[in-house]
Amino acid sequence: MPTISQRGQHVPMSPFRKLVPFADQAKAAGKHVYHLNIGQPDIATPASALEKVRTDQSEILAYSPAVGNLSYRQKLVGYYQGFGVSLTPDELIVTTGASEAIQLALLACLDEGDEVIVPEPFYANYNGFAQIGNIKIQPITCQIETGFALPKIEAFEACINPRTKGIFITNPNNPTGCFYAEEDLRALGQLAIKHDLYLFVDEVYREFCYDGNAFFSSLLIDGAEDHVVVFDSISKRYSACGARIGTLATRNTAVLETVTRYAKLRLSPPGLGQILAEATLDMEPEYMQEVQAAYDLRRRVVYERLQAMPGVVSYLPGGAFYCFARFPVQSAEHFCKWLLESFEYKGATVMLSPGEGFYATPGLGVDEVRIAYVLNANDLNAAMDCLEQALQVYEGATHKAQALSAG
Amino acid sequence: MPTISQRGQHVPMSPFRKLVPFADQAKAAGKHVYHLNIGQPDIATPASALEKVRTDQSEILAYSPAVGNLSYRQKLVGYYQGFGVSLTPDELIVTTGASEAIQLALLACLDEGDEVIVPEPFYANYNGFAQIGNIKIQPITCQIETGFALPKIEAFEACINPRTKGIFITNPNNPTGCFYAEEDLRALGQLAIKHDLYLFVDEVYREFCYDGNAFFSSLLIDGAEDHVVVFDSISKRYSACGARIGTLATRNTAVLETVTRYAKLRLSPPGLGQILAEATLDMEPEYMQEVQAAYDLRRRVVYERLQAMPGVVSYLPGGAFYCFARFPVQSAEHFCKWLLESFEYKGATVMLSPGEGFYATPGLGVDEVRIAYVLNANDLNAAMDCLEQALQVYEGATHKAQALSAG
């Protein structure tokens, strides 16, 4: 029997999908599972955009251009203008989700053995994209106590070595929900210019900034035009994860040319998804305002409920729809499995993502989880009821052990 | 300015897309361009399948499972049964086009520096997929004089070395249109078993076999269950290139597991495309019979017209919707550019793919082209009129030079 490749044997597993079999068993056993493990919103995809797909009269579903339909890229120019960013259609490449944009940019910009600095915890699939290109992720650790604020610029600079080709951040951050301010981004941009590095910025949660914080796109950093490569997607902002439509945006013409060559290999991005994506750009601003208000409420529910749970450490996230929490447990992974396998409260349980898989540094995040607040406030409260109960009865809960030994 | 990676600088260009700028100029100059350069059929996508997309009532376009919707995979089981192949839904992974299936399988099965034997000329994007994984393609040359029949099995065996991990064929073949018979495939299967190799088979043109030839899937080779990995797509058979829905089919559980891990990195295949793909499986057989009859007619038109052109060498292809032709020119690439830049006949010209890019061995195919007979018979005849005229007036035509010097 022919063997699997060495790299194939070591593809990093998604921490937000590896517990799926346990969730399936829980459902088969009749439990309701509140999914806070994956960024799949319960918000409706804009009906008017879906309607565009339904009324499209094309007779042949043909290949689109490898870089995406020109009509869509032209309309995207107007979208970015709304964030103060001036781009031409040629500076945008439509991809199969942000996932593909990231993968192609890494291949285009980094050779095998090259390094990219990524603040941890980070979106775990970056590990897999890096592995495909045999690229090393150099983590720089953020702390839950500061809400995972970016380390000082000196700490970034200390990570740079001759193999470093870029810095890669997610703003607002998945999995931490941290919002990065303009001055942080400008400082990173200056560091990228100083050391001739790429600044890769995953901006798929751009619309989700709270507390009156104004989003600042890295495409606005003066002098960093050849350094900044932005990844984008309609998945989150229009609850259209299944469309698989992302974008790569940069003013670096060599990156655009190289990513285009890679894009031609796979012929074209999804055609039906592009119809939907183009239609989302006609949405009235009220749609997004309502969605933002819904997430803002959810974020407060999660924060307040977590604050009330003994031994739990968390914070009010400034963006996206995630937060991290430290639980009073030895192993968050064991706890998350136990929630699905052995626990229920009022016929339900909760699925969370163990935190360890979001760190590259071994040993970090073992008592942490990522929570995606993608459910409505009622369901979220019910999920938090479950979690509160679970932490009270879980055998491995360290705060109970401490209380017992203290008693 | 940060640099492009070495690999990024060397991404192989698609030979069927590199002349696109010249075609755009020709169109801008008012010429009609007959596109015989790319496998984009002019056949309508099944209206009933498009209708399913239009009447779908989902409110959230959510991620599908990473391996594709179960309902689609279940129906695919019945589709393969129609070719005598018994599979379970778990032996099928839905991918973003066959392109993704190929790329993930190569990563899962081959390490850097490993080799795969591919008969040339071959579908040129295999070069790019191999380059992403740093895999070496070992070409084994086929001859236009035999209609690009497979070399003898001994010739394949002579190519095997300790780094060889697989044999990769396309049946029926793109770009040659060669149909491979059951005995050829069984022989390759035995060779794969003997040397513990994978047998990768791209079967996306399965439906297009002519002259009463019955398609034989490599999934039917006894004893090769752990060796055979098949790539598939709805792009060609249902003229749905823009849907970006492909499939990987194998009984090798380790390959399935590994490809699934890679598939999870990119979250899911396109959702709207999967609705369409599932609906195509409800088509009446008459749809495919009509499509097959149309291509059979086109194939004869191209063959007969080419036979009548002085100095042109071609053959009647047994499958797919491509053929190769050798032209009486020094450089087919120069001729193809000239067709777009400097030639017109009755207000039109023809776009072809230069043959060289389909070979891995340097120097081969320089006087050859690939012709995709994806237009209706009237348009094809008009395109052949152009070609006939062009070969008569082209300065670099070697048969004219010979005739002159002989005279």
Side-chain angles (χ1 to χ4, degrees), chain A residues 248-380:
Chain A
L248 179 144
T250 184
R251 298 194 186 85
N252 182 315
T253 51
V255 172
L256 287 164
E257 271 168 37
T258 310
V259 170
T260 299
R261 282 174 168 235
Y262 279 114
K264 284 182 178 173
L265 293 177
R266 56 69 165 135
L267 306 171
S268 72
L272 294 166
Q274 284 185 81
I275 298 172
L276 179 86
E278 191 171 330
T280 60
L281 297 174
D282 293 325
M283 295 294 299
E284 298 296 326
E286 287 73 22
Y287 171 86
M288 193 53 70
Q289 288 159 7
E290 277 175 33
V291 173
Q292 286 161 336
Y295 280 120
D296 192 12
L297 173 64
R298 294 166 180 204
R299 153 183 100 108
R300 291 175 190 283
V301 167
V302 170
Y303 173 70
E304 282 160 22
R305 295 297 307 267
L306 290 174
Q307 289 299 102
M309 295 182 202
V312 173
V313 176
S314 194
Y315 53 90
L316 187 64
F321 39 70
Y322 306 98
C323 68
F324 248 57
R326 180 176 290 156
F327 285 166
V329 300
Q330 293 283 349
S331 161
E333 180 160 337
H334 182 275
F335 175 65
C336 291
K337 262 189 215 163
W338 173 86
L339 277 172
L340 296 167
E341 279 190 309
S342 310
F343 175 79
E344 74 176 272
Y345 176 70
K346 295 186 178 173
T349 191
V350 186
M351 187 168 178
L352 304 167
S353 292
E356 198 175 356
F358 297 94
Y359 287 86
T361 303
L364 294 184
V366 289
D367 56 356
E368 295 175 359
V369 297
R370 183 190 74 166
I371 297 173
Y373 46 93
V374 290
L375 304 182
N376 66 57
N378 278 346
D379 285 349
L380 266 185

Side-chain angles (χ1 to χ4, degrees), chain A residues 28-289:
Chain A
K31 289 186 216 175
H32 181 75
V33 177
Y34 291 108
H35 279 279
L36 305 183
N37 61 302
I38 187 167
Q40 171 55 61
D42 68 346
I43 307 266
T45 312
S48 61
L50 284 170
E51 191 57 26
K52 264 279 165 40
V53 176
R54 290 169 185 153
T55 53
D56 181 77
Q57 293 303 312
S58 310
E59 290 185 1
I60 305 179
L61 184 54
Y63 290 122
S64 72
V67 296
N69 291 326
L70 180 60
S71 57
Y72 177 42
R73 289 181 291 123
Q74 281 170 335
K75 283 185 83 167
L76 274 173
V77 166
Y79 165 79
Y80 287 105
Q81 217 113 48
F83 289 89
V85 176
S86 292
L87 291 169
T88 68
D90 290 344
E91 291 165 339
L92 295 162
I93 294 174
V94 182
T95 56
T96 308
S99 298
E100 189 187 57
I102 295 165
Q103 203 180 320
L104 299 189
L106 291 179
L107 288 171
C109 300
L110 280 78
D111 275 305
E112 300 182 8
D114 283 347
E115 299 187 10
V116 62
I117 300 169
V118 188
E120 67 180 353
F122 55 83
Y123 177 64
N125 284 343
Y126 296 163
N127 283 317
F129 303 142
Q131 199 240 27
I132 287 173
N134 210 348
I135 289 159
K136 190 185 160 198
I137 288 183
Q138 169 70 52
I140 179 167
T141 308
C142 306
Q143 311 293 336
I144 196 167
E145 290 80 4
T146 63
F148 296 102
L150 282 180
K152 288 198 173 143
I153 208 73
E154 294 75 20
F156 277 95
E157 193 155 24
C159 293
I160 297 172
N161 69 49
R163 294 309 298 264
T164 307
K165 287 291 294 281
I167 298 166
F168 187 171
I169 60 165
T170 317
N171 181 35
N173 194 282
N174 171 13
T176 68
C178 189
F179 165 86
Y180 302 142
E182 179 174 344
E183 57 266 30
D184 290 335
L185 297 163
R186 287 196 186 275
L188 284 175
Q190 291 313 309
L191 190 66
I193 294 167
K194 179 177 170 188
H195 291 278
D196 220 9
L197 305 178
Y198 288 103
L199 178 59
F200 301 107
V201 190
D202 182 340
E203 296 188 353
V204 307
Y205 296 97
R206 184 186 296 117
E207 270 74 11
F208 305 110
C209 301
Y210 312 109
D211 305 318
N213 286 321
F215 177 77
F216 176 80
S217 173
S218 295
L219 290 163
L220 290 167
I221 303 171
D222 313 309
E225 289 77 6
D226 282 329
H227 301 263
V228 171
V229 180
V230 160
F231 310 121
D232 205 352
S233 166
I234 67 161
S235 291
K236 309 299 175 175
R237 62 175 170 263
Y238 294 115
S239 194
C241 298
R244 311 313 301 130
I245 297 295
T247 321
L248 179 144
T250 184
R251 298 194 186 85
N252 182 315
T253 51
V255 172
L256 287 164
E257 271 168 37
T258 310
V259 170
T260 299
R261 282 174 168 235
Y262 279 114
K264 284 182 178 173
L265 293 177
R266 56 69 165 135
L267 306 171
S268 72
L272 294 166
Q274 284 185 81
I275 298 172
L276 179 86
E278 191 171 330
T280 60
L281 297 174
D282 293 325
M283 295 294 299
E284 298 296 326
E286 287 73 22
Y287 171 86
M288 193 53 70
Q289 288 159 7

Side-chain angles (χ1 to χ4, degrees), chain B residues 263-281:
Chain B
K264 283 180 178 174
L265 293 177
R266 56 67 165 139
L267 306 170
S268 73
L272 294 166
Q274 284 185 82
I275 298 172
L276 179 85
E278 192 171 329
T280 60
L281 297 174

